[in-house]
Amino acid sequence: IDIRGAVDKTAPLTIVGKIDTFGRELFLDIKATAKGIDMPTFSPYSGKYIGYAIEKGKLSVDIHYHVEKGELRAENNIFLDQLTLGEKIESPDALSIPVGLALAVLKNSAGEIDVHLPISGSIKDPQFILGGVIVNAIINLLTKAVTAPFTVLGSLLGGEELSEISFAPGDAAITAESENRLKTLSKALIDRPPLELEITGRADPSHDPEALKHRMLERKVKVQKLAEQVKKGQATGDIDEVELMPDEYPKYLTLAYKEAKFAKPKNLVGLTKSLPVPEMEQLLLANINADVNEMRELAEQRAAAALNWLVEYGGIPSERIFVLEPKVEVESDAKKSGSKVEFSLR
């Protein structure tokens, strides 16, 4: 087969390959390309299956179909340029999904949709209709773009998981792995201006409390060093910039222990008893609360960390990002940690 022509006299079309229609079983191996087909002509189909006419857009396809021993394997590379939906059409077969969101996920900032749709099936199946298989593949793609948008975005951007980022137990600092995901997520959002991002910070009562207590203890110790530096005019009050040297730790831990408001062991004359570092740590940790309120605050800090990174380093306008109510709950899968931030799109 070697066919050269045009669709609607304007879009170049090429079909090349081999076909054997006289063998015991159909053999077919063809490749076809068409570039720049005007899409309003497809409005009868779009109206039926997605509930909208097509106002404008151009379609280019690059496909490879192989049929052998009754099995079809097909690769469909579809490129849509400036696809714009027109009037709504009532159809009982139309998708009951927000099609606008699906297109916003798929379409980049240049108004282009570039997708790959593999198709396979048995042509011996009496229910097999190639047109129906293609339509179902497109419908499944649109549905997935709404129900699992980050999976679709990840596949378009190299397969990376973008629906969440993880944190170390008890911590709200962005890790290197999370930073890489945020970079990819930022690229996807910059390339898709209509999309807005929702952020939900989470804390896990089974993983976070003990680590959070140690983090809170470290901050209490750092506060003592910071207070000393402030008195000497050596610091401006940013606790996160305070570094504790190993030889300094016992000194500032002792100050934190003395300042803590709980009953402490006394010596024979009734004064607070001097204790080794491990015992002071143990008493301080036992008297640090890491209950629901602290867990909620940790979840909020994680959401804020993700928001700040996306705005400051990712270049995403804050108007496109919304922080939702934090969640404090154990993961349904006990092997997984709920120390994370989850993303959703709208």
Side-chain angles (χ1 to χ4, degrees):
I1 298 173
D2 191 347
I3 300 173
R4 316 284 167 153
V7 180
D8 295 334
K9 299 182 180 180
T10 58
L13 170 69
T14 301
I15 304 174
V16 297
K18 296 179 179 179
I19 183 171
D20 180 2
T21 58
F22 299 105
R24 294 181 60 186
E25 291 186 320
L26 172 67
F27 173 84
L28 177 147
D29 190 83
I30 61 172
K31 294 181 180 180
T33 61
K35 297 186 182 299
I37 304 171
D38 284 306
M39 293 195 67
T41 58
F42 294 102
S43 282
Y45 301 99
S46 66
K48 177 179 175 64
Y49 293 111
I50 66 174
Y52 289 90
I54 297 177
E55 183 176 307
K56 74 170 184 177
K58 288 187 178 292
L59 165 69
S60 296
V61 295
D62 186 349
I63 63 175
H64 180 197
Y65 279 50
H66 184 92
V67 177
E68 189 171 3
K69 296 180 180 179
E71 296 294 324
L72 165 71
R73 296 196 313 275
E75 302 291 334
N76 296 272
N77 294 299
I78 301 173
F79 183 82
L80 306 174
D81 189 18
Q82 309 306 315
L83 172 61
T84 305
L85 298 180
E87 63 177 336
K88 185 170 177 58
I89 297 175
E90 295 299 327
S91 168
D93 299 316
L95 292 174
S96 57
I97 62 170
V99 177
L101 174 59
L103 295 181
V105 170
L106 295 169
K107 189 183 294 186
N108 64 24
S109 60
E112 302 166 339
I113 298 176
D114 191 357
V115 295
H116 172 66
L117 293 175
I119 293 175
S120 61
S122 172
I123 63 173
K124 296 179 181 179
D125 183 348
Q127 302 299 319
F128 181 84
I129 302 174
L130 182 58
V133 172
I134 295 173
V135 168
N136 284 336
I138 294 173
I139 288 175
N140 289 340
L141 175 65
L142 292 174
T143 303
K144 196 171 185 179
V146 172
T147 58
F150 291 104
T151 301
V152 174
L153 283 178
S155 66
L156 294 175
L157 297 168
E160 190 166 0
E161 170 59 55
L162 301 176
S163 63
E164 64 183 43
I165 57 173
S166 299
F167 292 81
D171 208 341
I174 301 293
T175 65
E177 180 183 355
S178 294
E179 188 170 17
N180 288 334
R181 288 190 183 183
L182 289 172
K183 287 178 182 177
T184 305
L185 178 59
S186 298
K187 181 180 182 299
L189 291 173
I190 288 172
D191 215 22
R192 292 160 178 80
L195 290 179
E196 293 179 339
L197 184 72
E198 296 176 335
I199 300 176
T200 302
R202 293 176 58 110
D204 188 337
S206 66
H207 288 83
D208 282 318
E210 196 60 34
L212 179 59
K213 284 186 177 184
H214 282 84
R215 178 172 167 242
M216 294 168 72
L217 173 58
E218 182 183 24
R219 290 181 69 86
K220 287 178 180 292
V221 177
K222 285 185 174 183
V223 163
Q224 298 302 320
K225 181 174 180 179
L226 178 62
E228 184 179 275
Q229 290 177 329
V230 170
K231 287 180 182 178
K232 296 178 180 179
Q234 298 174 345
T236 58
D238 190 347
I239 190 77
D240 294 325
E241 295 180 0
V242 176
E243 292 186 19
L244 278 174
M245 299 295 106
D247 58 335
E248 298 176 321
Y249 182 74
K251 171 186 173 181
Y252 296 112
L253 175 69
T254 301
L255 292 174
Y257 176 75
K258 289 180 178 179
E259 191 176 278
K261 306 299 182 184
F262 60 83
K264 304 179 181 72
K266 306 290 184 180
N267 59 22
L268 294 176
V269 296
L271 299 176
T272 299
K273 185 178 180 181
S274 297
L275 297 175
V277 165
E279 292 185 31
M280 286 191 289
E281 287 179 331
Q282 187 176 2
L283 284 169
L284 282 165
L285 289 170
N287 286 276
I288 291 176
N289 287 325
D291 57 15
V292 173
N293 290 332
E294 283 70 28
M295 291 292 98
R296 181 184 176 87
E297 183 179 349
L298 176 61
E300 290 174 345
Q301 290 172 355
R302 287 169 171 166
L307 168 65
N308 293 337
W309 196 100
L310 289 166
V311 173
E312 184 174 354
Y313 301 106
I316 309 301
S318 59
E319 295 79 10
R320 293 178 60 192
I321 306 176
F322 298 84
V323 176
L324 305 186
E325 186 77 5
K327 293 183 179 180
V328 179
E329 56 189 25
V330 178
E331 280 287 294
S332 56
D333 185 346
K335 295 181 180 179
K336 294 184 178 180
S337 171
S339 307
K340 60 186 179 181
V341 156
E342 292 177 330
F343 301 115
S344 54
L345 292 171
R346 67 178 194 182

